[in-house]
Amino acid sequence: MGFEMFAVFPGCTLEKYSSELKEPLIKILKYLGIEWIDLGGRCCGMPLLLSGDSESFREVIRSNTDYLRNVVVITSCAGCFRVFREYYSGFMVKHLSQFILDLGFSSFPHKVDLRAVYHDPCELIRCRVAEEPRELLRRIPGLSLSEFKLNRESSTCCGGGGLVKAIFPSLAVEVAYEKILRELPQDVDAIVSSCPFCYLNFKDAASIYSLNIKVYDIIHILGMALGVL
Amino acid sequence: MFDNVFQTYKLRLYEAMDNSFIRAALRRAVDSFRINRDKALKRYSDVEDKRLRLIEVKKHVLSNLESYVKQTMESIESNNSYAYYAKSINDALKIIDEVIGSGKMIVKSKSITSEELNLNYNLKLKGNIVYETDLGELIIQLLDSKPMHILSPAIHVPKEKVAELFSKISGENLPPDIPKLTMFARSFLRDKFFKADIGISGANAIVANTGSIVLIENEGNARYVSNTPPKYVVIAGLEKILPTLIDATILVEVVSRYASYYMPSFVSIISGPSKTGDIEKTQVLGVHGPREVHIILLDNGRSEVARDPLFSQALYCIRCGACLYECPIYQLVAGNFGYTYFGGVGAIWTAFIDRELHYASLIAFTCTLCGRCKVKCPMNIDTPEMILKLRESIHSIKLIPEPIRQIIENVKKYGSPYGLTNRFL
């Protein structure tokens, strides 16, 4: 393998929720000691794709492609990941969980005492990314990992996708609430996902319905396990 | 105009979402559906090969639709039955008017295709009396409501409400006891089957080379509808055509298992009117069954959809209803996520068959695109991909809900759907 240049693509949602999502991501990458180009501030175009504005979507792809040639793109947004996989070409894309696993991280220095259940984001599971986030979570000391009864390819949606949350916000939250109510395994303190939309939607459901459950993106768990959060 | 439709639709979704009856009924339905479907698929593991074969058959029929329609009509006519091709809803209603006329008593079994024609309304307008005979559909009809599921139309109505409704009709005080309520429906409808002038049904399949109508059911009402009245009328979409009886039996197995049954109680194969030659070998039509059988093949946009490389797969749908039970949105709002046809795949039918573009847009934008329907579909229908494409068509005719217009504008202007908060550098 030749020279690899890493490019971090936080995506629009991590930018919008910067202190909650982007900053932890940057801290993790700094801890890992890699060098990267920051592609912050850019949008992968998914909102346009989902809006049906294919012409503008293609323009965004063209404009982004100039920046993405011959790099390894790292993103923790399941939406960006899927769009890069399915609609772009000319570079490699890795979800943060894949990237860290590929670095060969076999143990994490800090304990994270948590009984967590992993929620498969639709955008990752349709790209067959299921095991990498689980494998990382399993390597974290103190963390016990549970599964929803319907998991991996059979997993159910949090309601936060497809722009439904933008149009019918209460409906999206209600889907998350219904999933928690109906599917959450017993003796679990937290839901962990690896997609900002799932994270935000579950978090909204937990806060609106005052549920006794913590909600994390995998970024937060990794940050804690590395001692940067 | 569109913005008003959007607001009304949104209100309806939110009302349904907050309706505890709908929620409770759907939770129970989804749980038992999943258990029974998985049991059925496990017990008959050969359904996997059969569904793959059925996909190929459907693909073949839809890409040769015109010649299959021709063959089907010839076969129907050779069975002493009447075959009609209805290009549009108006054509279909005109044929129905000629065949049925007015002042008739009609028994009808559940047919979503007839919803497409708003058939009950149109029959009543001509002075006919129509009785829906499927239990769920009867409840819906008596409530003057709208079906909420293709197989279980009254899925959102709890037993207490049914008891109240049936008590009013019977003048007795019926308890919310499901077997007792079912018995009431049986006695209420019994004489209607025998008094009716006409029976109307849809079809689960129409066999091209034998002209047979295939009906799949559990209650037994469709048998009465097709058998007791002197005249039997079938309205079926072109996508119901299958080449041979063997294909139809494959359909029976696939659709029932994915609809969570081992085997449906009744499968009827009807190939023409009732007949006898028992006296001097002289053929007489109409013995115990109908004397006349009329079969209307409804196009209403189907042959056009069949030619589309992507959307044609919407016609593969065999109406098992599995996708609805697996849909996160449908589980909360039932058939309010839909128009005549429900769920994500319903958006495609709403756009191209019902041609209600406002609703097609709103349904398409109610889909989270999670893809679970595709994973669970026996026909591998790629609804998410079709929804994306439909959103594209909808965008080109500018029927986009306001929040989405804002998102598009924000991305174009500021490089982020959220607007000014993170501007492109």
Side-chain angles (χ1 to χ4, degrees):
Chain A
M1 192 76 187
F3 176 68
E4 272 192 352
M5 175 87 87
F6 297 122
V8 174
F9 199 99
C12 59
T13 303
L14 268 76
E15 295 287 350
K16 162 81 179 168
Y17 299 89
S18 181
S19 59
E20 215 172 325
L21 288 167
K22 187 185 173 182
E23 285 170 22
L25 170 68
I26 300 298
K27 282 180 186 160
I28 291 170
L29 295 167
K30 277 185 179 152
Y31 177 94
L32 297 174
I34 59 155
E35 280 185 34
W36 75 88
I37 313 163
D38 191 342
L39 293 173
R42 294 196 158 264
C43 170
C44 69
M46 190 182 210
L48 295 170
L49 171 72
L50 300 184
S51 299
D53 190 346
S54 51
E55 201 183 310
S56 307
F57 176 52
R58 278 191 296 270
E59 263 170 48
V60 169
I61 293 180
R62 264 196 303 275
S63 121
N64 278 337
T65 303
D66 291 340
Y67 292 85
L68 297 172
R69 242 173 232 128
N70 302 319
V71 294
V72 177
V73 175
I74 303 162
T75 181
S76 79
C77 174
C80 297
F81 178 81
R82 185 172 187 186
V83 165
F84 287 145
R85 265 282 166 89
E86 294 185 357
Y87 294 91
Y88 284 69
S89 59
F91 58 91
M92 184 189 250
V93 58
K94 286 184 181 183
H95 186 263
L96 180 72
S97 59
Q98 297 177 314
F99 175 69
I100 294 182
L101 206 64
D102 290 352
L103 286 179
F105 248 75
S106 56
S107 66
F108 289 84
H110 293 267
K111 263 182 88 174
V112 181
D113 280 314
L114 206 62
R115 295 174 302 176
V117 60
Y118 179 70
H119 163 85
D120 288 284
C122 304
E123 308 295 4
L124 282 191
I125 201 66
R126 303 293 166 239
C127 295
R128 301 188 192 289
V129 178
E131 300 312 322
E132 295 93 327
R134 286 182 170 80
E135 183 54 33
L136 278 183
L137 292 173
R138 266 189 231 109
R139 290 180 187 183
I140 293 173
L143 188 143
S144 73
L145 186 63
S146 299
E147 291 287 352
F148 285 106
K149 198 170 137 209
L150 299 171
N151 59 60
R152 296 178 169 82
E153 209 199 18
S154 279
S155 69
T156 59
C157 175
C158 75
L163 295 183
V164 171
K165 200 171 165 70
I167 317 171
F168 308 109
S170 306
L171 182 63
V173 169
E174 197 66 19
V175 174
Y177 173 59
E178 184 76 358
K179 170 152 184 166
I180 294 174
L181 215 60
R182 300 252 290 152
E183 293 187 40
L184 194 72
Q186 283 191 329
D187 304 323
V188 158
D189 319 305
I191 300 174
V192 180
S193 186
S194 40
C195 165
F197 307 113
C198 300
Y199 163 70
L200 291 166
N201 202 39
F202 276 126
K203 216 184 67 162
D204 285 349
S207 109
I208 287 166
Y209 286 100
S210 310
L211 302 175
N212 189 20
I213 183 90
K214 297 188 189 98
V215 179
Y216 296 110
D217 188 279
I218 197 164
I219 298 174
H220 304 122
I221 306 293
L222 293 171
M224 288 187 259
L226 295 172
V228 297
L229 285 187
Chain B
M1 165 70 180
F2 175 61
D3 288 342
N4 289 343
V5 180
F6 169 46
Q7 291 308 331
T8 315
Y9 174 82
K10 184 172 176 174
L11 205 68
R12 214 178 67 207
L13 281 188
Y14 280 10
E15 270 172 17
M17 181 182 96
D18 291 333
N19 182 324
S20 54
F21 285 133
I22 295 185
R23 189 73 63 92
L26 277 163
R27 278 178 186 161
R28 276 187 295 232
V30 167
D31 286 345
S32 74
F33 171 82
R34 281 181 180 154
I35 292 168
N36 292 329
R37 187 236 359 241
D38 292 348
K39 254 170 40 190
L41 292 182
K42 202 171 157 201
R43 175 161 160 182
Y44 296 99
S45 54
D46 59 336
V47 75
E48 180 62 18
D49 288 339
K50 287 177 173 153
R51 75 173 181 91
L52 295 174
R53 186 169 157 191
L54 189 59
I55 294 171
E56 290 311 310
V57 170
K58 279 270 183 188
K59 210 179 272 181
H60 167 74
V61 171
L62 289 169
S63 39
N64 299 280
L65 194 55
E66 208 173 313
S67 68
Y68 272 106
V69 172
K70 196 165 162 269
Q71 191 195 1
T72 306
M73 295 195 50
E74 286 166 4
S75 301
I76 291 170
E77 280 163 1
S78 70
N79 291 340
N80 287 317
S81 306
Y82 301 88
Y84 309 85
Y85 167 81
K87 178 88 189 143
S88 64
I89 290 180
N90 277 343
D91 284 359
L93 289 175
K94 217 183 279 170
I95 295 163
I96 288 165
D97 199 27
E98 278 163 29
V99 173
I100 292 178
S102 61
K104 302 291 191 322
M105 178 168 164
I106 299 165
V107 284
K108 187 164 165 277
S109 72
K110 179 173 58 192
S111 153
I112 200 156
T113 311
S114 78
E115 295 289 323
E116 213 174 297
L117 305 176
N118 206 355
L119 186 60
N120 289 1
Y121 171 82
N122 282 297
L123 289 171
K124 267 197 273 181
L125 216 60
K126 298 278 175 184
N128 297 293
I129 301 170
V130 187
Y131 290 98
E132 288 289 350
T133 61
D134 173 89
L135 178 53
E137 202 72 49
L138 173 70
I139 294 167
I140 293 298
Q141 190 189 22
L142 296 173
L143 280 174
D144 205 14
S145 175
K146 199 176 138 338
M148 286 288 163
H149 186 270
I150 50 173
L151 295 186
S152 311
I155 194 161
H156 58 304
V157 186
K159 61 186 175 190
E160 291 77 13
K161 211 159 174 186
V162 178
E164 199 183 297
L165 181 71
F166 284 4
S167 297
K168 216 157 66 188
I169 294 163
S170 65
E172 292 167 49
N173 194 12
L174 294 168
D177 175 290
I178 295 171
K180 283 196 179 122
L181 295 170
T182 308
M183 284 320 289
F184 171 74
R186 179 187 160 104
S187 62
F188 175 73
L189 286 172
R190 183 83 6 171
D191 67 318
K192 314 281 188 295
F193 286 124
F194 291 95
K195 283 184 187 151
D197 306 298
I198 290 160
I200 300 181
S201 80
N204 293 95
I206 307 173
V207 179
N209 75 340
T210 63
S212 309
I213 295 297
V214 180
L215 298 177
I216 305 174
E217 58 162 337
N218 288 309
E219 291 182 13
N221 61 312
R223 301 206 130 185
Y224 274 125
V225 163
S226 64
N227 204 50
T228 45
K231 196 185 266 192
Y232 173 43
V233 180
V234 179
I235 301 153
L238 298 185
E239 82 284 4
K240 297 283 161 50
I241 296 174
L242 289 174
T244 67
L245 276 170
I246 299 276
D247 300 314
T249 59
I250 292 175
L251 170 86
V252 169
E253 292 202 68
V254 175
V255 75
S256 49
R257 267 116 226 198
Y258 275 85
S260 84
Y261 296 101
Y262 284 162
M263 263 312 271
S265 295
F266 308 107
V267 177
S268 306
I269 299 172
I270 300 156
S271 317
S274 155
K275 56 179 182 265
T276 181
D278 278 3
I279 305 180
E280 294 188 1
K281 283 278 164 225
T282 301
Q283 185 162 290
V284 176
L285 295 184
V287 195
H288 304 290
R291 198 163 38 239
E292 284 179 32
V293 174
H294 300 261
I295 299 166
I296 302 164
L297 300 174
L298 180 64
D299 190 325
N300 194 22
R302 286 167 172 82
S303 42
E304 208 173 310
V305 178
R307 282 192 292 271
D308 188 281
L310 179 68
F311 292 123
S312 58
Q313 59 185 313
L315 301 178
Y316 294 7
C317 180
I318 55 174
R319 314 251 179 257
C320 66
C323 58
L324 301 180
Y325 288 117
E326 298 294 355
C327 170
I329 301 295
Y330 183 86
Q331 283 178 35
L332 298 185
V333 301
N336 292 295
F337 176 28
Y339 189 71
T340 303
Y341 296 93
F342 308 129
V345 73
I348 313 304
W349 283 76
T350 306
F352 299 110
I353 306 298
D354 281 326
R355 291 183 292 276
E356 284 285 347
L357 295 179
H358 289 190
Y359 280 97
S361 163
L362 295 171
I363 299 165
F365 278 104
T366 314
C367 171
T368 69
L369 293 162
C370 74
R372 210 176 140 70
C373 51
K374 179 186 169 191
V375 173
K376 299 291 177 183
C377 174
M379 305 306 285
N380 290 349
I381 297 173
D382 194 342
T383 295
E385 202 189 334
M386 287 194 289
I387 293 268
L388 271 183
K389 189 75 188 169
L390 181 61
R391 288 186 182 188
E392 213 179 306
S393 315
I394 284 163
H395 178 266
S396 68
I397 56 166
K398 300 190 171 22
L399 274 183
I400 299 291
E402 201 280 325
I404 302 295
R405 292 200 292 266
Q406 192 64 50
I407 283 176
I408 295 172
E409 210 181 296
N410 283 342
V411 179
K412 282 187 179 158
K413 216 164 168 183
Y414 307 114
S416 162
Y418 301 101
L420 263 177
T421 46
N422 52 320
R423 201 174 172 140
F424 256 153
L425 295 174

